[in-house]
Amino acid sequence: MRFARRLDQVPPYLFAVIERRIEAMRAEGVDVISLGIGDPDLPTPAAVIEALERAVERPETHRYPSNSGLVAFREAVSSFYARRFDVAIDPSTEVIPVLGGKEAVAHVALACLDPGDVALAPDPGYPPYTSGPVFAGAEVHYLPLREDNAFMPDLDAIPAETAARANLLYFNYPNNPTGAVVADGFFDRAVAFAREHDLIAIHDSAYTEIAFDGYRPPSFLATPGAKDVGAEIFSLSKGWNMTGWRVGWIAGNAEVVERYRQLKTNLDSGMFDALQLAGVAALNDVPTFPQEMSEIYHRRRDLMLDALRAIGIDVEAPRATPYLWIRVPEGHDSSSFTELVLEQAAVIVSPGPSFGPSGEGYVRISLTVADARLEEAARRIASSLAVGYRA
Ligand SMILES: Cc1ncc(COP(=O)(O)O)c(C=O)c1O
Protein backbone atom coordinates (compact mmCIF):
# COMPACT_ATOMS: atom_id res chain seq x y z
CA MET A 1 0.00 0.00 0.00
CA ARG A 2 1.11 3.55 -0.63
CA PHE A 3 -0.09 6.43 1.47
CA ALA A 4 0.01 10.16 0.97
CA ARG A 5 3.38 11.79 1.61
CA ARG A 6 1.70 14.57 3.54
CA LEU A 7 1.25 12.19 6.47
CA ASP A 8 5.01 11.76 6.67
CA GLN A 9 5.57 15.49 6.69
CA VAL A 10 4.18 15.93 10.18
CA PRO A 11 5.55 14.19 13.29
CA PRO A 12 3.33 11.63 15.04
CA TYR A 13 0.74 13.53 17.07
CA LEU A 14 2.29 14.07 20.49
CA PHE A 15 -0.61 12.96 22.63
CA ALA A 16 -1.21 9.83 20.59
CA VAL A 17 2.39 8.87 21.40
CA ILE A 18 1.98 9.77 25.08
CA GLU A 19 -1.26 7.79 25.34
CA ARG A 20 0.43 4.67 23.98
CA ARG A 21 3.25 5.06 26.47
CA ILE A 22 0.86 5.48 29.40
CA GLU A 23 -1.08 2.40 28.33
CA ALA A 24 2.09 0.33 28.14
CA MET A 25 3.26 1.43 31.61
CA ARG A 26 -0.17 0.90 33.16
CA ALA A 27 -0.33 -2.57 31.61
CA GLU A 28 2.85 -3.31 33.59
CA GLY A 29 1.10 -2.19 36.77
CA VAL A 30 2.85 1.19 37.10
CA ASP A 31 0.77 3.96 38.71
CA VAL A 32 1.37 6.63 36.09
CA ILE A 33 0.35 10.24 36.75
CA SER A 34 -0.16 12.04 33.48
CA LEU A 35 0.38 15.77 33.52
CA GLY A 36 0.79 15.58 29.77
CA ILE A 37 -2.58 16.31 28.28
CA GLY A 38 -4.76 19.37 28.87
CA ASP A 39 -7.94 17.39 29.29
CA PRO A 40 -10.07 18.64 32.21
CA ASP A 41 -10.59 15.93 34.84
CA LEU A 42 -13.84 17.33 36.24
CA PRO A 43 -17.31 16.70 34.79
CA THR A 44 -19.27 18.82 32.35
CA PRO A 45 -21.84 21.00 34.17
CA ALA A 46 -25.11 19.19 34.92
CA ALA A 47 -27.15 21.88 33.14
CA VAL A 48 -25.36 21.05 29.90
CA ILE A 49 -25.87 17.31 30.30
CA GLU A 50 -29.57 17.81 31.04
CA ALA A 51 -29.95 20.08 28.01
CA LEU A 52 -28.39 17.38 25.85
CA GLU A 53 -30.72 14.75 27.32
CA ARG A 54 -33.76 16.90 26.56
CA ALA A 55 -32.54 17.73 23.07
CA VAL A 56 -31.75 14.17 22.16
CA GLU A 57 -35.35 13.17 23.03
CA ARG A 58 -36.54 15.45 20.23
CA PRO A 59 -36.57 13.55 16.92
CA GLU A 60 -36.07 16.72 14.90
CA THR A 61 -32.52 16.88 16.27
CA HIS A 62 -31.72 13.47 14.75
CA ARG A 63 -31.46 14.58 11.15
CA TYR A 64 -28.49 16.03 9.31
CA PRO A 65 -27.55 19.35 10.86
CA SER A 66 -26.58 22.26 8.62
CA ASN A 67 -23.03 23.57 8.47
CA SER A 68 -24.42 27.01 9.23
CA GLY A 69 -25.61 25.82 12.62
CA LEU A 70 -28.86 26.39 14.48
CA VAL A 71 -30.07 29.97 14.84
CA ALA A 72 -30.29 29.33 18.61
CA PHE A 73 -26.60 28.36 18.72
CA ARG A 74 -25.45 31.34 16.69
CA GLU A 75 -27.57 33.70 18.78
CA ALA A 76 -26.17 32.26 22.00
CA VAL A 77 -22.64 32.87 20.69
CA SER A 78 -23.57 36.39 19.69
CA SER A 79 -24.96 37.17 23.18
CA PHE A 80 -21.91 35.58 24.79
CA TYR A 81 -19.59 37.84 22.76
CA ALA A 82 -21.68 40.90 23.62
CA ARG A 83 -21.76 40.06 27.33
CA ARG A 84 -18.28 38.74 27.84
CA PHE A 85 -16.21 40.79 25.38
CA ASP A 86 -18.43 43.71 24.36
CA VAL A 87 -18.11 42.50 20.75
CA ALA A 88 -20.98 42.52 18.25
CA ILE A 89 -21.27 39.30 16.22
CA ASP A 90 -23.97 39.10 13.55
CA PRO A 91 -25.46 35.64 14.18
CA SER A 92 -26.56 35.26 10.57
CA THR A 93 -23.19 35.89 8.89
CA GLU A 94 -20.36 36.08 11.39
CA VAL A 95 -20.34 32.72 13.17
CA ILE A 96 -20.73 29.00 12.49
CA PRO A 97 -20.23 25.99 14.78
CA VAL A 98 -17.06 23.90 14.49
CA LEU A 99 -16.40 20.37 15.73
CA GLY A 100 -14.00 21.57 18.41
CA GLY A 101 -11.26 24.12 18.04
CA LYS A 102 -8.84 21.57 16.66
CA GLU A 103 -11.00 20.88 13.64
CA ALA A 104 -11.20 24.60 12.88
CA VAL A 105 -7.52 25.34 13.51
CA ALA A 106 -6.48 22.60 11.09
CA HIS A 107 -9.18 23.03 8.46
CA VAL A 108 -9.09 26.81 8.28
CA ALA A 109 -5.72 26.30 6.60
CA LEU A 110 -7.46 24.43 3.77
CA ALA A 111 -9.77 27.38 3.29
CA CYS A 112 -7.00 30.00 3.33
CA LEU A 113 -3.85 28.46 1.85
CA ASP A 114 -2.75 27.29 -1.57
CA PRO A 115 0.37 25.24 -2.25
CA GLY A 116 3.34 27.60 -2.11
CA ASP A 117 1.68 29.94 0.39
CA VAL A 118 3.18 30.47 3.81
CA ALA A 119 1.43 30.15 7.16
CA LEU A 120 2.92 32.05 10.09
CA ALA A 121 2.65 29.95 13.22
CA PRO A 122 3.78 30.40 16.83
CA ASP A 123 6.65 28.22 18.00
CA PRO A 124 6.11 26.62 20.45
CA GLY A 125 2.49 26.20 19.46
CA TYR A 126 -0.48 23.89 19.23
CA PRO A 127 0.57 21.21 16.69
CA PRO A 128 -2.33 21.71 14.19
CA TYR A 129 -0.93 25.19 13.36
CA THR A 130 1.70 23.18 11.52
CA SER A 131 -0.20 20.12 10.30
CA GLY A 132 -3.15 22.13 8.89
CA PRO A 133 -0.94 24.23 6.59
CA VAL A 134 1.25 21.24 5.67
CA PHE A 135 -1.86 19.27 4.64
CA ALA A 136 -2.86 22.28 2.54
CA GLY A 137 0.49 22.02 0.72
CA ALA A 138 1.69 25.27 2.25
CA GLU A 139 4.89 26.08 4.11
CA VAL A 140 5.05 26.97 7.77
CA HIS A 141 7.25 29.80 8.97
CA TYR A 142 7.69 29.60 12.72
CA LEU A 143 7.40 32.67 14.88
CA PRO A 144 9.53 31.97 17.96
CA LEU A 145 7.90 32.81 21.28
CA ARG A 146 10.74 33.67 23.63
CA GLU A 147 10.60 34.19 27.35
CA ASP A 148 12.60 37.45 27.01
CA ASN A 149 9.86 38.76 24.71
CA ALA A 150 7.04 37.69 27.06
CA PHE A 151 6.27 34.82 24.64
CA MET A 152 5.00 37.23 21.99
CA PRO A 153 5.95 36.73 18.32
CA ASP A 154 8.16 39.40 16.78
CA LEU A 155 6.24 40.18 13.61
CA ASP A 156 8.94 42.68 12.55
CA ALA A 157 11.50 39.88 12.40
CA ILE A 158 9.65 38.04 9.61
CA PRO A 159 11.70 38.31 6.40
CA ALA A 160 9.98 40.51 3.79
CA GLU A 161 9.95 37.72 1.21
CA THR A 162 8.24 35.36 3.68
CA ALA A 163 5.70 37.95 4.75
CA ALA A 164 4.90 38.59 1.08
CA ARG A 165 4.06 34.90 0.55
CA ALA A 166 2.16 34.52 3.82
CA ASN A 167 -1.61 34.31 3.70
CA LEU A 168 -2.39 33.11 7.21
CA LEU A 169 -1.22 34.24 10.64
CA TYR A 170 -2.10 32.09 13.66
CA PHE A 171 -1.81 33.39 17.20
CA ASN A 172 -3.16 32.19 20.51
CA TYR A 173 -3.60 34.07 23.81
CA PRO A 174 -3.86 32.95 26.54
CA ASN A 175 -1.20 30.75 25.08
CA ASN A 176 -0.69 27.04 24.99
CA PRO A 177 1.91 25.87 25.94
CA THR A 178 3.57 28.91 27.57
CA GLY A 179 0.61 30.15 29.64
CA ALA A 180 1.43 33.68 28.45
CA VAL A 181 -1.30 36.30 28.12
CA VAL A 182 -1.44 38.81 25.33
CA ALA A 183 0.84 41.83 25.65
CA ASP A 184 -0.72 45.28 25.36
CA GLY A 185 -0.92 46.34 21.75
CA PHE A 186 -0.18 42.94 20.20
CA PHE A 187 -3.68 42.41 18.79
CA ASP A 188 -3.52 45.91 17.21
CA ARG A 189 -0.14 45.03 15.74
CA ALA A 190 -1.61 41.80 14.33
CA VAL A 191 -4.42 43.75 12.63
CA ALA A 192 -1.92 46.22 11.14
CA PHE A 193 0.37 43.40 10.00
CA ALA A 194 -2.52 41.51 8.38
CA ARG A 195 -3.55 44.69 6.55
CA GLU A 196 -0.01 45.47 5.50
CA HIS A 197 0.54 42.00 4.05
CA ASP A 198 -3.03 41.29 2.97
CA LEU A 199 -3.27 38.10 4.96
CA ILE A 200 -5.88 36.41 7.14
CA ALA A 201 -5.41 36.62 10.91
CA ILE A 202 -6.73 33.69 12.92
CA HIS A 203 -6.82 33.96 16.68
CA ASP A 204 -7.16 30.71 18.58
CA SER A 205 -9.13 31.59 21.67
CA ALA A 206 -9.27 28.18 23.34
CA TYR A 207 -8.24 29.47 26.80
CA THR A 208 -9.85 32.89 27.33
CA GLU A 209 -12.15 31.54 30.06
CA ILE A 210 -9.47 29.96 32.26
CA ALA A 211 -7.72 32.84 33.99
CA PHE A 212 -6.58 33.86 37.47
CA ASP A 213 -5.88 36.73 39.80
CA GLY A 214 -8.75 38.83 38.41
CA TYR A 215 -7.39 38.79 34.85
CA ARG A 216 -10.07 38.57 32.12
CA PRO A 217 -8.47 37.68 28.78
CA PRO A 218 -9.74 39.77 25.85
CA SER A 219 -11.12 38.58 22.52
CA PHE A 220 -9.08 39.47 19.43
CA LEU A 221 -12.38 40.55 17.88
CA ALA A 222 -12.59 43.44 20.35
CA THR A 223 -9.60 45.00 18.57
CA PRO A 224 -10.52 47.76 16.10
CA GLY A 225 -10.30 46.36 12.58
CA ALA A 226 -10.02 42.70 13.68
CA LYS A 227 -13.20 41.71 11.87
CA ASP A 228 -11.80 43.23 8.66
CA VAL A 229 -8.81 40.93 8.67
CA GLY A 230 -9.73 37.71 10.36
CA ALA A 231 -11.60 35.49 12.74
CA GLU A 232 -11.40 33.83 16.12
CA ILE A 233 -11.77 30.16 16.95
CA PHE A 234 -13.43 29.46 20.29
CA SER A 235 -14.09 26.21 22.10
CA LEU A 236 -16.25 25.09 25.01
CA SER A 237 -13.73 22.31 25.72
CA LYS A 238 -11.63 23.88 28.45
CA GLY A 239 -13.94 26.35 30.16
CA TRP A 240 -16.93 24.03 30.45
CA ASN A 241 -15.07 20.68 30.72
CA MET A 242 -16.42 19.56 27.36
CA THR A 243 -13.39 18.19 25.53
CA GLY A 244 -15.25 15.04 24.49
CA TRP A 245 -18.23 16.94 23.14
CA ARG A 246 -16.43 18.71 20.28
CA VAL A 247 -18.26 22.02 20.47
CA GLY A 248 -16.74 25.27 19.29
CA TRP A 249 -17.17 28.00 16.70
CA ILE A 250 -15.41 30.30 14.33
CA ALA A 251 -16.53 33.92 14.48
CA GLY A 252 -15.46 37.17 12.89
CA ASN A 253 -15.00 38.29 9.30
CA ALA A 254 -18.10 37.22 7.33
CA GLU A 255 -16.10 36.18 4.28
CA VAL A 256 -13.74 34.00 6.31
CA VAL A 257 -16.75 32.42 8.04
CA GLU A 258 -18.57 31.86 4.75
CA ARG A 259 -15.51 30.37 3.03
CA TYR A 260 -14.95 28.13 6.02
CA ARG A 261 -18.59 27.03 5.90
CA GLN A 262 -18.19 26.28 2.20
CA LEU A 263 -15.15 24.13 2.94
CA LYS A 264 -16.99 22.30 5.70
CA THR A 265 -19.98 21.49 3.49
CA ASN A 266 -17.49 19.27 1.65
CA LEU A 267 -15.83 17.74 4.70
CA ASP A 268 -18.47 17.16 7.36
CA SER A 269 -22.18 17.58 7.84
CA GLY A 270 -22.15 19.99 10.72
CA MET A 271 -22.62 19.60 14.45
CA PHE A 272 -25.34 17.35 15.90
CA ASP A 273 -28.23 19.72 16.67
CA ALA A 274 -28.59 18.27 20.18
CA LEU A 275 -24.97 19.18 20.90
CA GLN A 276 -25.56 22.70 19.66
CA LEU A 277 -28.51 22.98 22.07
CA ALA A 278 -26.28 21.72 24.87
CA GLY A 279 -23.77 24.39 23.84
CA VAL A 280 -26.54 27.00 24.12
CA ALA A 281 -27.17 25.79 27.69
CA ALA A 282 -23.46 26.11 28.53
CA LEU A 283 -23.37 29.71 27.31
CA ASN A 284 -26.76 30.83 28.62
CA ASP A 285 -27.42 28.75 31.74
CA VAL A 286 -23.97 28.27 33.28
CA PRO A 287 -22.00 31.28 32.01
CA THR A 288 -19.89 31.55 35.16
CA PHE A 289 -18.89 27.87 35.26
CA PRO A 290 -15.44 28.62 33.74
CA GLN A 291 -14.77 31.00 36.63
CA GLU A 292 -15.43 28.17 39.07
CA MET A 293 -13.02 26.01 37.09
CA SER A 294 -10.48 28.82 37.08
CA GLU A 295 -10.57 28.88 40.88
CA ILE A 296 -9.75 25.19 40.94
CA TYR A 297 -6.85 25.61 38.48
CA HIS A 298 -5.67 28.62 40.46
CA ARG A 299 -5.39 26.48 43.59
CA ARG A 300 -3.62 23.72 41.69
CA ARG A 301 -1.32 26.24 40.00
CA ASP A 302 -0.18 27.56 43.37
CA LEU A 303 0.18 24.10 44.83
CA MET A 304 2.44 23.01 41.97
CA LEU A 305 4.40 26.27 41.90
CA ASP A 306 5.15 25.94 45.63
CA ALA A 307 6.25 22.36 45.16
CA LEU A 308 8.49 23.25 42.22
CA ARG A 309 10.01 26.24 44.02
CA ALA A 310 10.79 24.02 46.98
CA ILE A 311 13.00 21.92 44.72
CA GLY A 312 14.67 24.91 43.12
CA ILE A 313 12.59 25.15 39.95
CA ASP A 314 11.34 28.72 39.78
CA VAL A 315 8.41 29.36 37.49
CA GLU A 316 6.55 32.63 37.03
CA ALA A 317 2.87 32.17 37.91
CA PRO A 318 0.83 32.16 34.69
CA ARG A 319 -2.26 34.41 34.68
CA ALA A 320 -4.26 32.02 32.52
CA THR A 321 -4.47 28.46 31.10
CA PRO A 322 -4.27 25.18 33.02
CA TYR A 323 -0.55 24.89 32.17
CA LEU A 324 2.84 25.55 33.69
CA TRP A 325 5.68 26.08 31.22
CA ILE A 326 8.78 25.06 33.09
CA ARG A 327 12.40 25.61 32.25
CA VAL A 328 14.16 22.31 32.91
CA PRO A 329 16.85 22.21 35.62
CA GLU A 330 20.55 22.79 34.77
CA GLY A 331 22.17 19.82 33.15
CA HIS A 332 18.98 18.66 31.43
CA ASP A 333 17.34 19.21 28.10
CA SER A 334 13.60 18.75 27.57
CA SER A 335 13.91 15.16 26.53
CA SER A 336 16.28 14.03 29.31
CA PHE A 337 14.08 15.71 31.95
CA THR A 338 10.91 14.16 30.48
CA GLU A 339 12.56 10.74 30.49
CA LEU A 340 13.87 11.20 34.02
CA VAL A 341 10.49 12.01 35.52
CA LEU A 342 8.84 9.28 33.48
CA GLU A 343 11.30 6.57 34.46
CA GLN A 344 12.00 7.64 38.06
CA ALA A 345 8.67 9.20 39.04
CA ALA A 346 6.15 7.65 36.59
CA VAL A 347 4.99 11.18 35.87
CA ILE A 348 4.28 12.25 32.33
CA VAL A 349 5.06 15.81 31.27
CA SER A 350 5.06 17.17 27.73
CA PRO A 351 8.53 17.89 26.35
CA GLY A 352 8.74 21.45 24.98
CA PRO A 353 10.04 20.58 21.50
CA SER A 354 6.86 18.62 20.77
CA PHE A 355 5.28 22.08 20.40
CA GLY A 356 8.05 23.29 18.07
CA PRO A 357 11.82 23.79 18.14
CA SER A 358 11.69 26.87 20.39
CA GLY A 359 10.20 24.65 23.09
CA GLU A 360 13.66 23.16 23.75
CA GLY A 361 14.68 23.65 27.36
CA TYR A 362 11.11 23.54 28.64
CA VAL A 363 8.44 21.04 29.60
CA ARG A 364 4.74 21.67 30.03
CA ILE A 365 2.78 20.49 33.03
CA SER A 366 -0.97 20.33 32.82
CA LEU A 367 -3.03 21.02 35.95
CA THR A 368 -5.93 18.84 34.83
CA VAL A 369 -5.57 16.22 37.58
CA ALA A 370 -6.93 16.18 41.14
CA ASP A 371 -5.00 18.12 43.80
CA ALA A 372 -3.92 14.97 45.64
CA ARG A 373 -2.45 13.50 42.45
CA LEU A 374 -0.68 16.76 41.69
CA GLU A 375 0.84 16.72 45.17
CA GLU A 376 1.88 13.12 44.67
CA ALA A 377 3.39 13.99 41.27
CA ALA A 378 5.34 16.88 42.82
CA ARG A 379 6.64 14.59 45.58
CA ARG A 380 7.76 12.00 43.06
CA ILE A 381 9.43 14.57 40.80
CA ALA A 382 11.28 15.93 43.83
CA SER A 383 12.56 12.53 44.83
CA SER A 384 13.52 11.73 41.25
CA LEU A 385 15.69 14.85 41.32
CA ALA A 386 16.91 13.72 44.76
CA VAL A 387 17.08 17.13 46.36
CA GLY A 388 15.28 16.32 49.58
CA TYR A 389 11.98 18.02 48.90
CA ARG A 390 9.40 17.71 51.73
CA ALA A 391 5.72 18.21 50.94
C1 LIG B 1 -4.21 26.16 21.72
C2 LIG B 1 -5.35 25.21 21.53
N1 LIG B 1 -6.22 25.46 20.57
C3 LIG B 1 -7.25 24.66 20.34
C4 LIG B 1 -7.45 23.54 21.08
C5 LIG B 1 -8.59 22.69 20.68
O1 LIG B 1 -9.42 22.19 21.60
P1 LIG B 1 -10.75 21.50 21.15
O2 LIG B 1 -10.50 20.86 19.81
O3 LIG B 1 -11.04 20.49 22.19
O4 LIG B 1 -11.77 22.57 21.03
C6 LIG B 1 -6.55 23.20 22.09
C7 LIG B 1 -6.69 21.96 22.86
O5 LIG B 1 -5.85 21.55 23.60
C8 LIG B 1 -5.47 24.06 22.31
O6 LIG B 1 -4.57 23.81 23.25
Side-chain angles (χ1 to χ4, degrees):
M1 281 180 267
R2 186 178 65 78
F3 293 95
R5 280 190 292 272
R6 67 175 66 86
L7 286 178
D8 300 323
Q9 289 176 303
V10 296
Y13 199 73
L14 167 71
F15 298 119
V17 176
I18 292 181
E19 269 165 23
R20 274 201 297 276
R21 193 107 186 238
I22 299 174
E23 262 169 46
M25 288 179 74
R26 286 192 177 142
E28 287 168 18
V30 180
D31 172 28
V32 181
I33 303 178
S34 177
L35 310 181
I37 303 181
D39 190 357
D41 54 311
L42 293 164
T44 303
V48 179
I49 296 169
E50 285 154 19
L52 178 72
E53 283 167 352
R54 284 194 302 275
V56 91
E57 292 288 347
R58 290 167 44 195
E60 68 270 26
T61 64
H62 301 174
R63 310 191 63 191
Y64 279 124
S66 80
N67 284 98
S68 303
L70 292 173
V71 171
F73 182 85
R74 289 182 270 129
E75 284 179 345
V77 172
S78 176
S79 335
F80 169 73
Y81 262 81
R83 228 174 31 235
R84 166 72 177 89
F85 299 115
D86 200 17
V87 166
I89 295 292
D90 179 345
S92 56
T93 56
E94 292 182 336
V95 57
I96 58 164
V98 300
L99 308 177
K102 186 178 192 178
E103 183 260 306
V105 164
H107 281 153
V108 79
L110 294 185
C112 300
L113 296 171
D114 279 321
D117 284 344
V118 169
L120 303 168
D123 159 37
Y126 184 50
Y129 305 143
T130 302
S131 46
V134 166
F135 290 165
E139 287 166 38
V140 176
H141 177 84
Y142 281 136
L143 306 177
L145 306 184
R146 297 193 211 290
E147 198 165 344
D148 59 12
N149 197 33
F151 298 114
M152 305 305 301
D154 180 0
L155 299 180
D156 296 321
I158 301 168
E161 183 272 338
T162 306
R165 286 170 53 220
N167 204 43
L168 180 57
L169 167 68
Y170 286 115
F171 47 106
N172 157 231
Y173 292 97
N175 183 260
N176 174 19
T178 66
V181 301
V182 70
D184 285 349
F186 176 76
F187 284 161
D188 294 288
R189 179 74 191 99
V191 169
F193 184 85
R195 282 214 171 103
E196 207 177 311
H197 298 283
D198 190 21
L199 53 75
I200 298 165
I202 296 291
H203 182 237
D204 176 358
S205 209
Y207 294 97
T208 49
E209 303 316 295
I210 300 295
F212 323 116
D213 308 322
Y215 177 65
R216 293 289 272 159
S219 160
F220 170 58
L221 300 180
T223 311
K227 270 208 273 177
D228 299 334
V229 297
E232 181 159 87
I233 293 166
F234 193 99
S235 167
L236 298 186
S237 282
K238 312 289 169 157
W240 283 264
N241 297 343
M242 290 175 67
T243 46
W245 298 57
R246 318 308 304 133
V247 181
W249 61 76
I250 182 167
N253 181 275
E255 203 178 345
V256 174
V257 170
E258 172 53 21
R259 288 305 203 149
Y260 190 62
R261 191 193 64 82
Q262 183 193 349
L263 175 88
K264 276 172 69 67
T265 58
N266 290 283
L267 289 175
D268 63 59
S269 295
M271 183 188 296
F272 182 22
D273 283 349
L275 280 174
Q276 292 186 56
L277 294 169
V280 170
L283 295 172
N284 290 349
D285 301 348
V286 278
T288 55
F289 185 81
Q291 281 155 263
E292 291 166 35
M293 282 309 302
S294 295
E295 279 168 30
I296 293 171
Y297 291 128
H298 183 190
R299 189 179 69 226
R300 293 178 180 174
R301 177 198 75 175
D302 289 350
L303 179 162
M304 199 64 190
L305 287 176
D306 286 350
L308 290 168
R309 282 176 188 145
I311 57 172
I313 300 178
D314 202 16
V315 186
E316 209 181 302
R319 296 166 75 198
T321 80
Y323 303 122
L324 299 180
W325 185 238
I326 298 168
R327 194 193 278 279
V328 298
E330 279 290 313
H332 279 284
D333 61 15
S334 300
S335 142
S336 70
F337 185 72
T338 304
E339 278 301 314
L340 175 85
V341 295
L342 180 62
E343 289 304 321
Q344 305 293 320
V347 172
I348 303 230
V349 298
S350 302
S354 50
F355 299 97
S358 298
E360 182 49 58
Y362 293 87
V363 294
R364 192 194 74 178
I365 279 185
S366 171
L367 302 171
T368 49
V369 299
D371 296 28
R373 294 292 275 170
L374 262 190
E375 276 164 4
E376 167 70 10
R379 232 186 322 271
R380 291 195 206 165
I381 292 174
S383 55
S384 72
L385 291 175
V387 288
Y389 163 71
R390 298 267 179 283

